[in-house]
């Protein structure tokens, strides 16, 4: 039991915070699920004190409107105790009880949840998987976040690391990062594939908007690159369907808003199923309902399971 449990929540609104590599998104959510006062600030990378100071400042600016803090953060998270076992690219926050420290500073209940599992919780409770018993959420970003939904609830695993899809190895050369699923299906690879076909030397000169603008314009080489990129995603979805047999997959992350992404994933899945006989259910794939707000809404959902009336 964390220090957070010693502070009362009376059922009002909650400050929800989603920590990303470059920005901290935030907003206020109440029981009506209306997300207001949305904004973002740069993510500090100087150290723990700067990071905690930025989080505390967000609370101070909203303190007259909220009664708790629900956080979605990167890394492997012991949500039950509010501990960041790892911090993703925020290595200065590893093995740190973030919930207890934020409660000490702000004197309100605080929960901390892994970002992809937050998104999954939002989709399982109110979103694209709300009618499913079992499901899988795949969040496409720099890496591949994700979570397993079992009996309508997020499955954490023994060490809270279930669904860390980035680290799935796809080849025998374990020393090569490109042989992980993050290496094959992270957004940097899509930019690299498209940069190559467009003759752009530095992939960092383009972004996802460029990629899908060219794709929507019908650039044949960009469409070939998109097809190659989504083939790896489709292949893994087929494998996960065989292993777990979920009702449905929900795809999240910034690029999931692009209709062509889902179209090409489904096209490649259909192709795989023409190549072998599979006696079970074919993979059912859709996009997350809440898109970029999923982490904030899911963090609030987890907060309710700990301190609110989770009905």
């Amino acid at each position: 039991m964390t220090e957070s449990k010693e502070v009362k929540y009376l059922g009002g609104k909650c400050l929800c915070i989603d920590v990303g590599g470059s920005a901290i998104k935030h907003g206020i959510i109440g029981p009506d699920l209306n997300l207001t006062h949305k904004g973002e600030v740069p993510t500090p990378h100087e150290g723990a004190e700067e990071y905690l100071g930025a989080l505390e400042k967000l609370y101070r600016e909203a303190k007259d409107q909220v009664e708790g803090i629900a956080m979605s953060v990167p890394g492997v998270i012991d949500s039950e105790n509010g501990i960041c076992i790892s911090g993703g690219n925020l290595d200065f926050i590893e093995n740190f009880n973030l919930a207890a420290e934020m409660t000490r500073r702000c004197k309100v209940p605080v929960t901390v949840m892994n970002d992809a599992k937050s998104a999954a919780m939002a989709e399982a409770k109110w979103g694209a998987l709300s009618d499913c018993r079992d499901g899988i959420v795949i969040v496409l970003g720099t890496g591949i976040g994700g979570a397993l939904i079992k009996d309508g609830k997020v499955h954490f695993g023994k060490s809270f690391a279930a669904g860390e899809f980035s680290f799935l190895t796809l080849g025998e050369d374990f020393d090569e990062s490109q042989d992980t699923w993050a290496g094959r299906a992270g957004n940097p690879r899509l930019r690299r594939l498209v940069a190559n076909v467009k003759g752009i030397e530095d992939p960092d000169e383009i972004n996802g908007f460029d990629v899908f603008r060219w794709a929507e314009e019908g650039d044949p080489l960009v469409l070939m690159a998109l097809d190659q990129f989504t083939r790896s995603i489709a292949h893994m979805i087929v494998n996960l369907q065989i292993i777990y047999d979920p009702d449905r997959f929900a795809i999240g992350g910034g690029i999931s808003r692009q209709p062509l992404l889902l179209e090409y994933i489904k096209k490649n899945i259909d192709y795989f199923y023409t190549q072998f006989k599979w006696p079970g259910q074919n993979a059912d794939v859709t996009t997350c309902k809440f898109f970029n707000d999923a982490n904030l809404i899911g963090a609030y959902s987890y907060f309710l399971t700990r301190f609110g009336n989770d009905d």
Side-chain angles (χ1 to χ4, degrees), residues 20-21 54 63 115 124 129 146 156 200 231 237 245 249 296:
K63 64 177 296 186
D115 47 12
L129 303 180
F156 289 90
I200 298 171
R231 194 175 308 149
I237 287 174
D245 196 22
F249 291 80
L296 294 170

Side-chain angles (χ1 to χ4, degrees), residues 237-295:
I237 287 174
V238 171
N239 283 338
L240 290 171
Q241 181 70 38
I242 293 170
I243 293 169
Y244 192 58
D245 196 22
D247 299 284
R248 188 177 303 132
F249 291 80
I251 308 296
I255 65 172
S256 67
R257 284 185 174 273
Q258 303 293 336
L260 271 178
L261 179 81
L262 184 63
E263 177 185 327
Y264 270 71
I265 289 174
K266 286 185 171 182
K267 179 174 71 71
N268 275 298
I269 288 173
D270 290 343
Y271 171 75
F272 280 122
Y273 283 130
T274 67
Q275 300 304 303
F276 63 93
K277 298 297 182 181
W278 162 237
Q281 170 184 297
N282 288 0
D284 177 14
V285 185
T286 188
T287 53
C288 288
K289 174 181 177 179
F290 297 113
F291 293 108
N292 289 341
D293 291 335
N295 293 4

Side-chain angles (χ1 to χ4, degrees), residues 14 21 65 112 139 186 197 219 222:
C14 188
Q65 304 175 68
V112 182
V139 181
V197 301
D219 186 311
V222 173

Side-chain angles (χ1 to χ4, degrees), residues 1-5 76-85 95-103 110-113 156 158 160 302 306-307:
M1 183 177 296
T2 71
E3 186 179 337
S4 293
K5 281 291 187 179
V76 176
I77 309 300
D78 174 356
S79 295
E80 181 68 23
N81 293 297
I83 298 171
C84 298
I85 298 172
N95 297 311
F96 184 81
N97 195 319
L98 183 57
E101 176 61 20
M102 288 300 294
T103 295
V110 179
T111 55
V112 182
M113 182 82 158
F156 289 90
K158 182 178 180 180
F160 309 99
Y302 181 67
R306 297 295 304 280
F307 297 106

Side-chain angles (χ1 to χ4, degrees), residues 213-228:
R213 184 181 73 253
W214 292 325
E216 291 286 354
E217 291 171 354
D219 186 311
L221 292 178
V222 173
L223 290 174
M224 289 176 65
L226 181 62
D227 184 59
Q228 183 177 352

